[in-house]
Amino acid sequence: MGLLDRLLDLVRKRETPGPTPDAPGLKIVVEAFDPVVADSAVLAASPGWVSTAPAVLRHHLLLPPDRLAEAASILAQDGYDLREQSPDGELVRVLARRVQVLDALHCAQERSRMAGLAQRLGGDALGWDAQQPEPTA
């Protein structure tokens, strides 16, 4: 992610306050776990996703337990927090989470970035999903 993208993300975050990653009432509105399917297609096929509203973007990763602190430090630089889920063999299943307005370009860039980070740390990137609040009636 380049400097311009980071600055634009900071501006977007200020303009569009959204839910916190642990906010109650969040539901998964889009999932992308098949690397063959483009993120743009995944977003377009999601009837529950509100394209203009902030979402909690969650990347599902498998990482070695001794590399979790390093991963958390790297991810924190771009506003992600790392939430440990459960052991999965010799690796640990974790979620890298942050709030942002989703678009196909940034989802694809972040998916690629997470895959590279996981590989460098001896793990794997499984895919991503996004949560948004239940619509109020």
Side-chain angles (χ1 to χ4, degrees):
M1 180 178 269
L3 180 59
L4 181 57
D5 287 332
R6 288 182 186 176
L7 291 172
L8 289 172
D9 284 347
L10 287 173
V11 170
R12 282 188 200 120
K13 286 178 189 175
R14 285 191 204 118
E15 291 174 357
T16 54
T20 62
D22 294 314
L26 294 175
K27 69 172 189 160
I28 295 174
V29 294
V30 61
E31 296 178 306
F33 289 93
D34 185 348
V36 176
V37 180
D39 293 317
S40 57
V42 170
L43 290 170
S46 174
W49 168 57
V50 179
S51 64
T52 57
V56 178
L57 178 61
R58 306 183 321 163
H59 294 276
H60 297 250
L61 308 171
L62 290 174
L63 298 173
D66 61 336
R67 306 296 295 268
L68 293 179
E70 182 180 358
S73 174
I74 292 168
L75 292 167
Q77 295 173 28
D78 287 320
Y80 284 97
D81 75 336
L82 198 62
R83 174 66 51 96
E84 188 172 331
Q85 293 295 105
S86 62
D88 193 333
E90 294 181 16
L91 301 175
V92 177
R93 186 177 289 265
V94 297
L95 292 174
R97 313 174 308 167
R98 80 172 176 191
V99 175
Q100 68 180 71
V101 174
L102 302 179
D103 63 67
L105 175 62
H106 285 99
C107 287
Q109 286 174 333
E110 291 302 300
R111 180 198 292 236
S112 176
R113 182 171 169 259
M114 293 297 164
L117 174 68
Q119 184 178 19
R120 275 195 321 272
L121 297 178
D124 192 18
L126 305 174
W128 62 268
D129 64 30
Q131 297 177 311
Q132 289 180 319
E134 293 272 359
T136 55

